[in-house]
Amino acid sequence: MKQSTALKILKTGQNVFLTGSAGTGKTYLLQEYINYLKSHDVSPAITAPTGVAASHLDGMTIHSFFGLGIRNEIDDYYVDSLTQKKYLNQRLVKLKVLIIDEISMVSPEIFSAIDKILKAFKFSDEPFGGVQVIVSGDFFQLPPISKNKKEKRFAWQSEIWKISDFSTCYLEEKFRQEDSELIGILDDIRGGEISEKSYKALAKAEKNKFNISFRPTKLYTHNIDVDRINKKELDALSTKPKVFTALTQGSQKNIEKIFKSSLVLEDVVLKKEAIVLFIKNNYEKGYINGTTGKVIDFEKNGDPIVEIFSGRKIVVEKEDWSLENDDGKILATVSQIPLRLAWAITVHKSQGMSLDYAEIDLSKTFETGQGYVALSRVRSTKGLKLIGFNKRALEVDSLILFVDEKMKSSSKRANEKIKKFSEEERDEIEINFLEKIGASLEEVEYETQNIEEFVPKQTTYEKTANLIEEFDTLEEIAEHRGISVKTILKHFEVLSKNFEVDLSKFKPEKEILVLVQEAVEDIGKKKRKKDFLENGNIKLRAIFDYLDEEIGYEDIQLALLFL
C-alpha cells in the first residue's frame, strides 16, 4: 500500500494497524496524520512502549500516559483508582485519537490494560471506549521484553485486537535504505531464507572502513558491552570526573524495583566532553527520553551543563523516579540526574533511529528481531561495519513469518475497499468523523512544537506557586500537578529563594523546627566530609540519621525552608 492511500484510510476514523518493513516511512506517515488532526484543532495522544521510541514523535511512554506506574497488568480495582485521579480525567475524558508507536514491543497485557482504562474513562463498552486507535510498527522488529516465556507474546494475540476491527495498512515503498544490497538483505530476513548473495554482502561489511571525521555509533545486543565501551571512552578523557549518587527514600525492596524497572543509575560518573543520553522527559527544560548531547561544563553546585545536538545548552538537575501503590501513595523515590553515557547503545534503544554510519556487533544475538533492527538502522551497506556476527542474528519468529502473509492480504482488502469510494464519498466520511470527534471543519493554524526549541510560557515553579493558596497540603498540590511530593518540595525551595510566596501554612510544628535546627548546628560543628554535598549544604540523610530516623525527609526539607 502507498502512503497516500494509508493516509486516506486514517482520515476516515477507522482503527488502523500501520505496518511495513524498516524504512517505509511509518513515522513520517504518522506525523502527516498528526499534522492533519492538529490543522482541525484536534490533539491526538502519542504514545510508545519506551521513552526512546516515544521521543521520535514527541510522545509519552504508555505507562506514563495511562498512569500504569511499573505495572504490566491491572485489575478492576486499580482501574477504579485511576478514575479518581484529576490529571488522568483531564487527559483521557477528552481523548479522541490515540496513537501507539512501536507496537511490536507492546505485550498483550499492556494492550488490554489500555482498553480497560479507556472504557472506564469514556463510560463506553466499545473497544478502547470509542477512541480511534492507530497502532504502528513492524512485528519483525523487537518483541516485548519478558522474563518468562509466554504462549502469547504480541499485542495482536490479545482478545481486544481481534474485536477492534483494525484496517491493516502495509506500506511497501522503502525510503530509508539507499542501496539494493541492503534492501535485499532485509527482504531475505523477512522472507525467512537468507541467500548466498546476502551472506557475501554481510561478509564484505565486516571489512568496511569509514572515511569520516567522527566516531560512528556502536550498537550492541547486551548492556554489559555498552557499559564497557562507555567506560573505556570515559576513562580516555583527561578531564576530572564527577560522581552523582542517587538519593533514595523508602524500603530497599521498593527502591530496587525502581532501579530494575527504569534506566536510572545508582551512580553516574561524568566528565567534560562525555557523550550522554537523557533518560527522562522534561518538556519545560527542553529534553526528552532519548535526547543526546555532550557535557560541556559543570555549574558551581556541580550540576552538569549539556549541549544537545541542536546547540541548546541545558543545566541538568536531579529528577525523581517514584513507585506508588494502588492508592497513589508513594512507596519509594529515587532522585538522580537523568543521564547515561552514550558512546555506545543497545540495539533495543536504537529501534526507530536512522544512522548514516554504525558499527554493529551481533555476535551475542539472543532475541529474534535484533539483527533485523540493527541492520535496518543504516541507510546503506557502505555505512555498516559488522564487528561481530552469528547466523542467529538473521532469524525471525516463525509465527511472525506466518502472520505476515495474513497482514499483507488484509492490507490488500483495505486498499481495495477505500478505492471503491468516490472522492465525494470519502470527503463525506472524513467530515462525519471530524464532526464525531468535535473537530473544526475549517482548517486552523497550529504551532508545531519542536521539543528541543520549546520555551515554556510558564515555568514549572510558577505553576506550583499558583496552587499554594488553593490547596492546603503537599499531597494535594502533587496530585493536582501529577508529580511527586518530593518534586513539590524542590519547587518550594526554589520559590522561597526566588519568588515572593507565602509558605507559612506548610510550616512544621515548633518541636520539629527545634530538632532540625539542633541537628544542623551540631552537624555543622563536626564538619564531617561525608555529611556535606559538594555545594556545602548538609545532606538530608545526615540530618535524618542524626534524628534517629524519627523525623521524615519531607518534614526535614520543610523545616529547612523556615530556619
Side-chain angles (χ1 to χ4, degrees), residues 180-204:
S180 58
E181 194 171 58
L182 182 58
I183 290 173
I185 295 170
L186 297 176
D187 285 346
D188 279 359
I189 295 174
R190 295 181 75 90
E193 199 170 317
I194 313 301
S195 67
E196 188 63 30
K197 183 180 178 181
S198 291
Y199 276 124
K200 285 180 179 178
L202 290 169
K204 187 172 66 174

Side-chain angles (χ1 to χ4, degrees), residues 519 522-533 536-539 541-543 545-547:
D522 201 20
I523 293 169
K525 288 176 184 176
K526 292 178 180 177
K527 296 181 178 179
R528 293 182 299 186
K529 189 176 180 179
K530 69 174 186 175
D531 291 335
F532 292 84
L533 299 169
N537 291 340
I538 297 173
K539 292 180 179 178
R541 180 78 196 187
I543 300 173
D545 290 340
Y546 182 93
L547 298 172

Side-chain angles (χ1 to χ4, degrees), residues 338-524:
L339 295 173
R340 290 181 74 119
L341 298 175
W343 280 282
I345 58 176
T346 60
V347 171
H348 191 272
K349 293 187 184 71
S350 77
Q351 185 154 321
M353 293 181 178
S354 295
L355 304 170
D356 290 311
Y357 298 93
E359 294 184 358
I360 302 175
D361 186 347
L362 296 175
S363 61
K364 301 176 184 175
T365 302
F366 63 91
E367 179 62 87
T368 57
Q370 281 184 323
Y372 182 82
V373 169
L375 294 172
S376 59
R377 295 313 93 206
V378 295
R379 304 177 190 278
S380 162
T381 50
K382 293 178 182 177
L384 166 67
K385 181 174 177 61
L386 275 180
I387 54 178
F389 177 74
N390 68 38
K391 287 190 176 182
R392 191 179 179 191
L394 306 181
E395 292 179 1
V396 292
D397 194 308
S398 58
L399 182 60
I400 298 303
L401 288 173
F402 171 74
V403 170
D404 190 55
E405 290 303 316
K406 289 192 172 184
M407 291 175 180
K408 287 178 179 176
S409 297
S410 178
S411 180
K412 287 178 181 177
R413 289 194 297 272
N415 192 48
E416 291 166 2
K417 183 179 178 180
I418 195 69
K419 285 183 176 180
K420 288 180 180 178
F421 294 105
S422 66
E423 190 173 341
E424 292 77 14
E425 288 172 326
R426 279 205 323 273
D427 286 344
E428 185 178 353
I429 294 170
E430 288 175 18
I431 290 170
N432 288 340
F433 173 60
L434 291 174
E435 288 180 336
K436 176 186 174 184
I437 62 176
S440 168
L441 298 185
E442 298 294 327
E443 290 194 15
V444 297
E445 291 187 7
Y446 66 95
E447 291 184 10
T448 302
Q449 289 187 350
N450 182 335
I451 184 61
E452 294 183 352
E453 298 173 356
F454 176 62
V455 179
K457 294 179 180 178
Q458 187 181 50
T459 69
T460 186
Y461 309 111
E462 290 169 329
K463 289 178 182 177
T464 296
N466 292 337
L467 300 174
I468 288 172
E469 287 187 9
E470 184 179 351
F471 297 105
D472 294 324
T473 68
L474 294 171
E475 288 76 11
E476 287 174 334
I477 295 176
E479 182 179 359
H480 185 82
R481 291 225 44 205
I483 55 182
S484 70
V485 170
K486 195 174 182 81
T487 300
I488 296 297
L489 282 166
K490 286 182 181 178
H491 291 183
F492 276 19
E493 185 178 350
V494 174
L495 291 170
S496 67
K497 294 176 181 177
N498 302 290
F499 295 77
E500 292 183 5
V501 294
D502 182 9
L503 299 173
S504 59
K505 69 164 75 171
F506 303 99
K507 190 173 183 178
E509 297 175 359
K510 185 176 179 181
E511 181 183 356
I512 291 175
L513 290 170
V514 170
L515 290 171
V516 173
Q517 178 72 48
E518 288 176 357
V520 168
E521 290 176 355
D522 201 20
I523 293 169

